[in-house]
Amino acid sequence: MPERSEPMVLERPTTAPAKVKSGARSGRPAEAGRRRPGARGRAGQGVLVAALSGMVLVALFPYLFMFMTSFKTNEEFNTNYWVPTWPLHLSNYGTAWEQIQPYFITSILVAAVSIVGTVGLSTIAGFLFARYEFAGRRLLYGMVVMLMMVPPVASLIPLFVLMRDLNLLNTLTVLILPHIAGSVVLATILIRTFVEQIPQELFDAARIDGAGGPRLFRSIVLPLSLPVIGTVSLLTVINVWNDFFWPLLVITENDLRTIPVGLSFFKGQNVTQWGPLFAGYTLASLPLLLLFTFLSKHFLAGMQGGLPGSGK
């Protein structure tokens, strides 16, 4: 017993200080190790912020240059190409508005009617594909998805011949119908995917209360689908506002031209008047800029497929 107790007494003083020393020695490197990643993290974060700021500056520079040039005269544009000048010639915007006003109004009308038609058809189709079982449901939805693989150029000539045979050239209808037909495909896919994520319990509870299909669509689907409807609306406006070739092909009357075609004619009429020309470009970009500013939250939520209040 004494031989067993002595090593126990000797081990206690030797092991305890060793643990304290090792802890004390290891404490300094641990603190230094904690500080080093923080410094590196801050340096990496600074590099990331600088890189993102450079990307934003490069992306916004053409718009800033356009806005800056819209206040210049031809002499100021030629002498001070890269820098702003003083005074600001606000009359350039008045000149530009007089030229592009009919094109602006036409584009707004076409975009508004296209949004109503696209949202109306796609929400009904998406609701039916997502919540109803009927014969040929998968086949029809597969055909809708297959339309995404058809390039718009392939249907350009048949569509033009069809519109010509229907005597729709040089009308607002020839601008609206192709946009609705082209936008409703992607819109149906987005809305169908979105509606499938709505909990089935909501529909079951509504059916127990006696709600039918129209009431389900009006009271559940539409209120919860506002994010994806905002996405569809914004995509439709972008397609209408940026479409150049189709209005150029089917419209010859000046009052029915849209913004892209009208700006091309405005450029031809004002080759040397750079201030009004860039002012017209700035005015044409404002609707998309404002819409994306106010609908960006719904646009991102609709593209991600998240539901309001779900955190997705």
Side-chain angles (χ1 to χ4, degrees):
M1 291 296 293
E3 295 180 355
R4 294 180 180 178
S5 61
E6 289 178 358
M8 294 177 63
V9 174
L10 292 175
E11 286 179 358
R12 289 177 182 175
T14 54
T15 56
K19 292 181 180 180
V20 173
K21 291 181 180 180
S22 62
R25 292 177 182 177
S26 62
R28 292 179 180 177
E31 294 177 357
R34 291 177 184 175
R35 292 177 182 176
R36 289 176 182 175
R40 294 177 182 176
R42 287 192 294 270
Q45 185 178 5
V47 173
L48 180 61
V49 170
L52 293 177
S53 301
M55 293 174 59
V56 171
L57 181 62
V58 171
L60 291 180
F61 181 76
Y63 191 84
L64 296 176
F65 176 78
M66 175 184 67
F67 183 72
M68 178 182 62
T69 308
S70 65
F71 296 102
K72 295 181 179 180
T73 61
N74 288 353
E75 293 77 10
E76 294 171 344
F77 178 76
N78 294 326
T79 57
N80 299 285
Y81 188 78
W82 296 107
V83 295
T85 58
W86 190 264
L88 302 178
H89 297 276
L90 300 177
S91 60
N92 292 338
Y93 282 87
T95 304
W97 178 249
E98 292 178 0
Q99 295 288 335
I100 70 171
Q101 181 180 3
Y103 316 138
F104 205 89
I105 295 175
T106 301
S107 294
I108 290 178
L109 290 176
V110 174
V113 179
S114 299
I115 288 174
V116 173
T118 301
V119 170
L121 292 175
S122 59
T123 50
I124 295 175
F127 172 60
L128 294 177
F129 281 127
R131 293 298 173 179
Y132 283 86
E133 293 289 343
F134 52 89
R137 170 175 169 267
R138 294 184 178 180
L139 177 61
L140 289 176
Y141 185 72
M143 295 174 65
V144 172
V145 175
M146 288 177 61
L147 290 175
M148 292 289 297
M149 299 185 295
V150 179
V153 179
S155 60
L156 185 63
I157 296 178
L159 185 60
F160 176 79
V161 174
L162 178 62
M163 295 295 136
R164 184 198 61 187
D165 295 341
L166 294 175
N167 295 324
L168 294 178
L169 299 181
N170 284 319
T171 61
L172 288 177
T173 306
V174 77
L175 298 174
I176 295 171
L177 289 181
H179 281 297
I180 294 177
S183 302
V184 76
V185 177
L186 177 61
T188 299
I189 297 173
L190 291 176
I191 293 178
R192 185 249 187 184
T193 305
F194 193 90
V195 173
E196 281 184 339
Q197 299 183 11
I198 299 177
Q200 181 62 33
E201 290 78 6
L202 295 177
F203 296 95
D204 295 339
R207 287 193 178 94
I208 292 175
D209 291 339
R215 181 64 182 276
L216 295 176
F217 177 76
R218 185 174 64 254
S219 301
I220 297 178
V221 175
L222 284 182
L224 294 179
S225 300
L226 289 180
V228 72
I229 290 176
T231 301
V232 170
S233 302
L234 189 57
L235 291 176
T236 304
V237 172
I238 292 174
N239 291 333
V240 172
W241 220 258
N242 295 332
D243 190 13
F244 175 78
F245 189 71
W246 178 252
L248 180 65
L249 183 64
V250 300
I251 298 296
T252 58
E253 296 182 6
N254 186 58
D255 294 339
L256 294 178
R257 291 192 176 107
T258 56
I259 280 288
V261 181
L263 285 176
S264 67
F265 282 90
F266 180 42
K267 179 180 178 181
Q269 297 172 1
N270 301 273
V271 176
T272 58
Q273 298 182 15
W274 296 108
L277 179 61
F278 280 93
Y281 291 145
T282 303
L283 290 175
S285 64
L286 286 179
L288 292 183
L289 183 63
L290 294 176
L291 284 177
F292 189 81
T293 300
F294 292 105
L295 295 179
S296 59
K297 180 179 180 181
H298 294 292
F299 177 78
L300 296 176
M303 293 300 294
Q304 295 173 359
L307 292 173
S310 63
K312 296 182 180 180

